[in-house]
């Protein structure tokens, strides 16, 4: 008997001990799919962390420039509401 399909509902799938075993102990196909999914997710997490680090560096750089500018600066949101202001 093969493992559960994505359309199986847990209440229907646990009708027999063998069906429950297939949910708990994946067969070779399910194990391969789990490994592939795990690698894809960890790769995407790495990409997100890299992008977040780059965004933080860029934000720090521009924030520092604004702090030392000879003129005062206002930072607004899309509606024009002032979010931050620097001294002149």
């Amino acid at each position: 008997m093969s493992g559960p399909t994505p359309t199986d509902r847990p209440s229907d799938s646990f009708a027999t001990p063998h069906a429950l075993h297939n949910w708990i102990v994946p067969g070779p196909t399910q194990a391969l799919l789990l490994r592939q999914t795990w690698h894809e997710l960890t790769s995407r997490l790495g990409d997100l962390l890299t992008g977040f680090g780059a965004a933080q560096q860029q934000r720090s750089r521009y924030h520092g420039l604004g702090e030392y500018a000879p003129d005062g600066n206002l930072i607004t949101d899309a509606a024009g509401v002032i979010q931050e202001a620097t001294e002149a």
Side-chain angles (χ1 to χ4, degrees), residues 1 13-25:
M1 178 176 188
S13 300
F14 297 150
T16 66
H18 187 71
L20 179 60
H21 174 79
N22 285 338
W23 274 96
I24 296 172
V25 181

Side-chain angles (χ1 to χ4, degrees), residues 62-87:
Y62 289 112
H63 192 303
L65 290 174
E67 290 295 317
Y68 302 109
D71 298 322
N73 292 300
L74 298 176
I75 299 173
T76 62
D77 64 10
V81 177
I82 296 172
Q83 301 295 310
E84 291 183 45
T86 61
E87 294 183 24

Side-chain angles (χ1 to χ4, degrees), residues 13-61:
S13 300
F14 297 150
T16 66
H18 187 71
L20 179 60
H21 174 79
N22 285 338
W23 274 96
I24 296 172
V25 181
T29 303
Q30 291 89 358
L32 177 62
L33 181 60
L34 285 171
R35 276 194 300 275
Q36 290 171 339
T37 303
W38 175 258
H39 289 298
E40 182 179 340
L41 288 172
T42 55
S43 174
R44 288 184 181 187
L45 177 59
D47 294 344
L48 286 172
L49 292 174
T50 299
F52 179 76
Q56 287 292 90
Q57 286 178 333
Q58 191 174 34
R59 182 180 186 280
S60 295
R61 178 176 174 230

